[in-house]
Amino acid sequence: MYLFTSESVSAGHPDKCADIIADYIVDSLLELDPNARVATEVFVVGKHVIIGGEVKINSTLEKEFYIDIAKKALKKIGYPESGFKIGETLNPEECIYEVYISRQSPDISIGVDRNNKEIGAGDQGMMFGFATIERDDFMPSALMFAREIRDILYKNAKSNPDKFGVDLKTQVTLDYGTKENFDNCRPQRIDKIVVAQSHTGDILPDDVRKRVKELIFQKASFADKYLDENTQFLINGTGRFVTHGPIADSGLSGRKVVVDTYGGYAPIGGGSQSSKDYTKVDRSGLYAARWIAKHIVAAGLAKKALVEIAYVIGEPKPVSVTVNTLGSSSENISDEELSIKIAEKFSLTPKWITEKFGLDKPSADSFLYHEIAAKGQIGYEEYPWEKIDEIEWFRALV
């Protein structure tokens, strides 16, 4: 056996509640002003929702603006579910909201908003892109299996609020058989599935476990290929999960970066994506790095690709672009050559990334940041940064 584990969490998880509120704010401010600068953090604990940070926008907003957004976000997530008693789940109408929003420092604006229409990086830092041939979407398997189970159970909870809560976690342990199989992107079977599913107090623990297993076997796309008689199911390990969500545990924006990106298969950057506008390279740099890594693998240049892009605050161009194919390259081009050619071909400035992916114009017709926060920052083909639209250039490198 050679095992690797990844996890995921639903929109109702306390940390995700915070992320979704934060990105609902980003969506709303960019709708009012595409040049808005946003860096807000959210803390949810018990019945308290605390919003703080810095904003620069061409209009004056009252605290009620942010409070209304937070309520909308929590209701869209699915709170409160009908089957739970007071004190077991969150009710957005009963929460106490505190808002501490100040104006973005002019010292940052000096470097970000340039006279030549270019955009300087909103902060220093490094971001990573990763891709693998394990799946058609070029994402690592354990993470995407955990996400798929999450989506199945979350949909069930939203459809049955009298029985299940929207706060849940999933975890998948994948058996690659050997280290060689892992290196060559060949998963063999699922060894363990771990689920924490909130539920009403009148449902017996064994009934919760039975229903969760039924849903996975019936609806998971990977069930026939990767589940077998030796797959272990560990569902609600304490036996009971009634009190849930921020009522049971605090949530903070930016804490689920591994869940949002590569599930531990690859390094993560220096900061989270949620709560930030497109000038913050923690967000835009991640999208660009993933786009490059995906192209490298899709073009057949390597079985795996890890791309690092680094920036300094106030400067548009990255200070470094580095490709590492993790010993899986086709041997027709070196990692050094790939790094140089990619850096020469694509400017990778915040403005270039923003214009290519439309990051300043989130909408229901393209993408909304708060919906991305709920699903994951990368890995879904409908995202603009998942489009393989420069594949011929990458193939020509061979």
Side-chain angles (χ1 to χ4, degrees), residues 217-355:
F217 273 104
Q218 290 171 4
K219 298 182 178 297
S221 64
F222 55 80
D224 290 342
K225 183 175 181 180
Y226 289 100
L227 298 180
D228 59 35
E229 65 275 11
N230 294 317
T231 300
Q232 297 181 50
F233 287 81
L234 306 169
I235 302 168
N236 286 1
T238 66
R240 178 180 168 87
F241 187 11
V242 176
T243 305
H244 65 284
I247 291 293
D249 193 10
S250 62
L252 182 65
S253 51
R255 273 206 299 213
K256 287 293 178 281
V257 184
V258 175
V259 166
D260 278 342
T261 52
Y262 310 107
Y265 279 83
I268 58 173
S272 66
Q273 290 72 54
S274 289
S275 83
K276 298 168 183 174
D277 69 77
Y278 52 85
T279 67
K280 313 298 189 297
V281 285
D282 288 324
R283 185 188 287 279
S284 51
L286 169 78
Y287 299 161
R290 162 64 180 170
W291 180 81
I292 292 169
K294 187 173 182 179
H295 273 82
I296 291 170
V297 175
L301 300 175
K303 294 178 180 177
K304 298 180 183 179
L306 180 66
V307 176
E308 184 199 53
I309 308 176
Y311 295 85
V312 61
I313 190 168
E315 292 297 323
K317 291 282 288 184
V319 296
S320 67
V321 178
T322 307
V323 175
N324 181 358
T325 55
L326 305 167
S328 71
S329 69
S330 63
E331 299 182 357
N332 291 312
I333 185 170
S334 69
D335 290 356
E336 293 89 345
E337 290 177 288
L338 266 177
S339 303
I340 293 170
K341 289 183 180 294
I342 288 169
E344 290 175 344
K345 171 68 174 176
F346 307 108
S347 72
L348 300 175
T349 65
K351 181 181 179 183
W352 183 90
I353 300 169
T354 297
E355 290 178 347

Side-chain angles (χ1 to χ4, degrees), residues 111-240:
V112 175
D113 301 316
R114 291 168 162 256
N115 293 329
N116 61 359
K117 308 274 188 184
E118 190 54 85
I119 300 173
D123 203 350
Q124 71 177 51
M126 72 290 183
M127 297 79 225
F128 289 95
F130 177 73
T132 169
I133 62 167
E134 281 190 9
R135 293 166 47 96
D136 292 341
D137 54 18
F138 303 101
M139 288 290 287
S141 298
L143 172 67
M144 298 309 286
F145 292 166
R147 286 184 178 180
E148 185 175 348
I149 296 171
R150 171 204 67 188
D151 293 343
I152 291 168
L153 299 180
Y154 181 61
K155 182 178 180 181
N156 176 68
K158 292 266 283 188
S159 300
N160 298 279
D162 57 325
K163 297 178 182 179
F164 296 99
V166 293
D167 180 10
L168 64 99
K169 296 178 74 172
T170 60
Q171 184 172 290
V172 171
T173 299
L174 205 56
D175 183 6
Y176 285 82
T178 65
K179 177 62 162 57
E180 181 183 4
N181 282 340
F182 179 82
D183 291 339
N184 287 284
C185 314
R186 294 195 295 258
Q188 303 297 302
R189 55 180 292 274
I190 292 176
D191 188 63
K192 297 179 184 70
I193 291 177
V194 180
V195 172
Q197 169 66 72
S198 54
H199 59 91
T200 55
D202 57 353
I203 302 178
L204 295 174
D206 283 346
D207 290 337
V208 175
R209 296 186 181 105
K210 179 181 178 182
R211 182 56 178 155
V212 168
K213 286 184 68 174
E214 285 177 348
L215 286 167
I216 294 171
F217 273 104
Q218 290 171 4
K219 298 182 178 297
S221 64
F222 55 80
D224 290 342
K225 183 175 181 180
Y226 289 100
L227 298 180
D228 59 35
E229 65 275 11
N230 294 317
T231 300
Q232 297 181 50
F233 287 81
L234 306 169
I235 302 168
N236 286 1
T238 66
R240 178 180 168 87

Side-chain angles (χ1 to χ4, degrees), residues 369-383:
Y369 286 119
H370 74 272
E371 293 180 352
I372 288 169
K375 295 177 63 177
Q377 296 290 330
I378 46 88
Y380 296 97
E381 64 178 11
E382 64 267 26
Y383 296 173

Side-chain angles (χ1 to χ4, degrees), residues 7-69:
E7 71 163 349
S8 189
V9 300
S10 70
H13 183 279
D15 290 333
K16 274 291 138 201
C17 288
D19 282 340
I20 291 167
I21 293 170
D23 275 345
Y24 219 122
I25 291 171
V26 175
D27 286 326
S28 300
L29 293 179
L30 288 176
E31 182 181 2
L32 292 174
D33 178 7
N35 294 313
R37 302 291 180 255
V38 191
T40 57
E41 303 298 340
V42 178
F43 179 43
V44 292
V45 54
K47 294 183 178 181
H48 294 265
V49 179
I50 302 169
I51 304 169
E54 300 79 43
V55 165
K56 179 185 175 185
I57 189 170
N58 60 10
S59 59
T60 301
L61 301 173
E62 302 297 331
K63 290 184 178 181
E64 285 70 23
F65 175 84
Y66 298 98
I67 293 172
D68 184 56
I69 288 173

